[in-house]
Amino acid sequence: MGDGKNARNEEFQSFVAGRWPRLMRTAFLLTGEQHAAEDLVQSTLERVYVAWRKVGAADDPEAYVRRVMLNLHARKHRRRLKEFLAPKDDSGLVHEVADTGDRIAQADDRGALLKALAQLPVRQREAVVLRYWEDLTETQAAEAMGCSVGTVKSNAAKGIAKLRAIPGLAETVTHGGRK
């Protein structure tokens, strides 16, 4: 009996080790603050670990975990806890290192982009993050957000339009490469 539990623990540890950078990037883009992102990922993984037998057997465990993360983030937002995507003094923080080819890494002014992202309503921010940074399909983003594909399209389009309207960001926020 202990062998089964050990195998599940090893499977969970392997999952976490392989997906930690991506989970942290998503959480950072949702919360905008390194420590809040770490807390969100930790809370997500705590809930996922308890249900790992079910999660590990799912067709797409990463999608399940992403959904849990979005739900936790949405719950926090409903409680009206303030989020800051651009802390005033981030000198003591460990900064996220963007993946090569990551659209954020290509932004000329990352601080301005994060500040602009923070101004979007939560659902628009989620849609933009999932579609353009996580590169999910509309269907995958809809599953993660718990809404229809049309809602994802609408929120992503509105969010991108708002980002494009900000002077200096128009060239960083592109629609290129979407299928």
Side-chain angles (χ1 to χ4, degrees):
M1 194 70 129
D3 290 338
K5 187 173 182 175
N6 286 339
R8 274 195 312 278
N9 284 342
E10 288 177 18
E11 182 183 348
F12 178 76
Q13 289 174 354
S14 176
F15 175 86
V16 171
R19 300 209 179 46
W20 182 263
R22 188 171 185 153
L23 291 171
M24 279 300 299
R25 180 180 67 198
T26 301
F28 181 80
L29 290 168
L30 291 172
T31 65
E33 202 271 317
Q34 185 72 25
H35 298 296
E38 290 169 356
D39 289 346
L40 179 58
V41 172
Q42 284 291 54
S43 296
T44 299
L45 293 175
E46 286 173 9
R47 291 180 188 232
V48 168
Y49 179 75
V50 171
W52 186 249
R53 183 178 300 184
K54 178 181 172 184
V55 176
D59 290 338
D60 188 357
E62 190 169 350
Y64 190 105
V65 172
R66 190 180 309 112
R67 179 67 187 267
V68 170
M69 182 184 295
L70 286 170
N71 288 343
L72 285 172
H73 179 258
R75 190 172 301 123
K76 176 183 174 187
H77 183 267
R78 277 192 297 268
R79 290 185 199 147
R80 300 198 182 272
L81 294 177
K82 213 163 188 189
E83 298 174 353
F84 298 95
L85 274 175
K88 291 183 191 306
D89 180 22
D90 62 354
S91 59
L93 297 179
V94 176
H95 293 281
E96 171 199 17
V97 177
D99 299 336
T100 55
D102 188 334
R103 292 176 200 244
I104 286 181
Q106 298 168 2
D108 292 334
D109 188 354
R110 183 174 183 201
L113 181 59
L114 291 175
K115 191 178 274 187
L117 194 59
Q119 294 172 9
L120 294 179
V122 173
R123 294 299 273 182
Q124 289 178 16
R125 184 181 335 151
E126 288 175 353
V128 169
V129 167
L130 292 175
R131 288 286 291 132
Y132 297 96
W133 277 280
E134 291 302 316
D135 202 29
L136 298 183
T137 65
E138 291 163 344
T139 303
Q140 291 170 324
E143 289 172 8
M145 292 173 64
C147 63
S148 70
V149 170
T151 300
V152 170
K153 287 180 181 181
S154 174
N155 279 303
K158 288 176 185 175
I160 290 296
K162 285 181 182 178
L163 293 175
R164 283 188 177 142
I166 297 172
L169 283 184
E171 57 276 358
T172 13
V173 183
T174 65
H175 214 100
R178 300 303 317 147
K179 297 167 187 115

